[in-house]
Amino acid sequence: MGGLKKLEIKKNIQKEEDKNLLFRVFDLTKENLKDYFKPHKKDHFLIIVLENGSLQIHIEEKTHSLKAGKTSVIFPEQVHFISNVSEDLKGKIILFEEILFCSDILKNELSTYNVNLSTQLNCTVLSSEDFQQSLHTIEVIKSIYQKPSLIKKEQARFHIKIFLLGLIESVHGLHPVLHKETADKPVYVRFKKLLNEHYKHHRTVQYYAEKLAISPKKLNSITKKHCGETAIQAIHNRILIEIKRQLMFSDLSHKEIAFDLGFNSPSALNKFVKSKLKETPTELQQELAQMYNA
């Protein structure tokens, strides 16, 4: 399907000071979106805040409709593009390097929140009051971006954190379980982290149960409570997500994808996809290609 373009924040230079800045703030215009209309990745975070108008943002295999009052956060390495931009578009674009966010907020302070956060923040809606407060925060960040100093750059870092914390709190409260402090919530979070690290090579419930020092039955009970699926369903769904990503956006053959994801043959990959989605990897690839090229 061809190489996938990757946008780098360090190459997005609008003014001299940008060479030493970890963030950018722009008005949401078609001109500033011109590089976003074809599928691509970024090495940094992108936030789109819509004050007026509408657009569609396609992230991995999902499509989100953004209109006034909505915000989208796209994480580094998420494949995405924008379409159907209205003429009355108004809002803000914020770009920032991962170090401003993940290194401290997600990995330390808010580790228990970090369950599927990269998808939960793809499309969020704040209350009218919170949205207006967010716009004020973004204006502060934009004013710092236009005339940065050593102290102001540090201020911008904290304002970005405040903005993101507001979004995280909004989705956190909507989660059916994670807003409650349950004794087994940390176990579920650890399971999700282990799964993201080892799904290519370990796909048995027994493996993850042993790592968590609990029984497979207990792990199933925890995953069903927190995400409505069994542990083996969670494992299989994680593998399916990666299969779709590689079919859509890599140049690997089906054989190479099979071995990369721990299958012992292309036929094993074929059988797995067929059992889960009732179609072959070739059919799935064609379906995904049509969706992204529509």
Side-chain angles (χ1 to χ4, degrees):
M1 294 182 66
L4 196 68
K5 188 174 183 180
K6 185 170 183 177
L7 301 181
E8 300 177 37
I9 195 169
K10 67 180 181 181
K11 293 183 179 178
N12 191 329
I13 304 296
Q14 307 293 326
K15 51 188 175 58
E16 185 65 26
E17 295 95 332
D18 288 351
K19 295 177 181 178
N20 298 311
L21 285 179
L22 298 176
F23 68 98
R24 315 275 189 271
V25 186
F26 307 118
D27 288 327
L28 184 60
T29 65
K30 285 188 176 181
E31 175 62 23
N32 286 332
L33 290 174
K34 66 177 186 282
D35 292 330
Y36 299 170
F37 292 118
K38 292 183 179 179
H40 65 283
K41 293 182 180 182
K42 292 182 173 65
D43 69 350
H44 51 279
F45 282 88
L46 162 68
I47 301 176
I48 293 177
V49 181
L50 219 61
E51 297 177 66
N52 196 61
S54 62
L55 58 81
Q56 284 191 319
I57 187 156
H58 310 261
I59 306 172
E60 305 292 355
E61 73 270 22
K62 294 185 179 179
T63 299
H64 304 277
S65 295
L66 265 62
K67 57 184 180 180
K70 286 190 174 183
T71 299
S72 179
V73 180
I74 300 163
F75 281 54
E77 301 302 321
Q78 285 188 322
V79 179
H80 61 283
F81 70 96
I82 287 170
S83 68
N84 298 326
V85 177
S86 67
E87 294 298 328
D88 56 344
L89 201 64
K90 182 183 179 185
K92 291 291 185 291
I93 299 171
I94 304 174
L95 312 176
F96 61 95
E97 289 196 18
E98 192 169 8
I99 189 171
L100 279 176
F101 186 23
C102 279
S103 61
D104 53 3
I105 295 185
L106 283 186
K107 292 181 180 175
N108 300 315
E109 299 167 35
L110 296 177
S111 61
T112 57
Y113 284 67
N114 188 19
V115 178
N116 299 329
L117 200 56
S118 63
T119 54
Q120 289 179 0
L121 291 182
N122 285 165
C123 184
T124 59
V125 182
L126 296 174
S127 69
S128 178
E129 182 180 348
D130 289 343
F131 186 72
Q132 290 303 316
Q133 181 60 46
S134 293
L135 291 178
H136 173 72
T137 301
I138 294 169
E139 284 298 331
V140 173
I141 300 168
K142 184 181 178 184
S143 68
I144 293 173
Y145 169 69
Q146 290 170 340
K147 292 184 178 180
S149 67
L150 190 61
I151 297 297
K152 285 186 175 181
K153 282 192 286 187
E154 190 63 19
Q155 290 175 342
R157 168 184 166 86
F158 282 100
H159 282 299
I160 291 173
K161 287 177 68 173
I162 289 167
F163 175 77
L164 288 164
L165 287 168
L167 294 178
I168 292 169
E169 181 61 28
S170 72
V171 300
H172 184 60
L174 295 174
H175 196 286
V177 173
L178 289 186
H179 70 284
K180 299 176 182 177
E181 289 300 325
T182 59
D184 54 21
K185 184 173 74 174
V187 180
Y188 176 65
V189 172
R190 285 172 57 207
F191 167 65
K192 295 293 285 189
K193 289 182 176 180
L194 283 169
L195 181 57
N196 280 328
E197 291 170 4
H198 302 294
Y199 70 92
K200 287 187 179 183
H201 305 292
H202 299 284
R203 55 188 64 178
T204 66
V205 177
Q206 183 69 35
Y207 172 82
Y208 293 100
E210 288 178 358
K211 284 286 186 181
L212 296 166
I214 58 177
S215 70
K217 184 178 179 180
K218 179 65 173 177
L219 179 56
N220 271 321
S221 172
I222 291 171
T223 58
K224 286 186 77 172
K225 181 168 76 172
H226 285 265
C227 65
E229 59 187 12
T230 64
I232 195 64
Q233 286 172 333
I235 293 167
H236 287 172
N237 285 337
R238 182 63 186 88
I239 297 166
L240 279 172
I241 287 171
E242 190 60 26
I243 289 172
K244 288 179 180 180
R245 283 174 61 105
Q246 294 204 23
L247 287 174
M248 276 195 289
F249 306 116
S250 79
D251 293 321
L252 299 177
S253 67
H254 292 184
K255 180 179 179 180
E256 290 170 323
I257 292 173
F259 290 132
D260 180 62
L261 297 182
F263 293 94
N264 57 22
S265 68
S267 62
L269 172 69
N270 192 305
K271 184 178 179 180
F272 177 80
V273 173
K274 188 85 172 176
S275 69
K276 301 301 175 187
L277 302 176
K278 311 304 179 189
E279 56 187 343
T280 66
T282 298
E283 291 167 341
L284 176 60
Q285 188 170 31
Q286 290 170 347
E287 179 186 307
L288 295 170
Q290 287 175 354
M291 181 179 70
Y292 260 74
N293 293 326

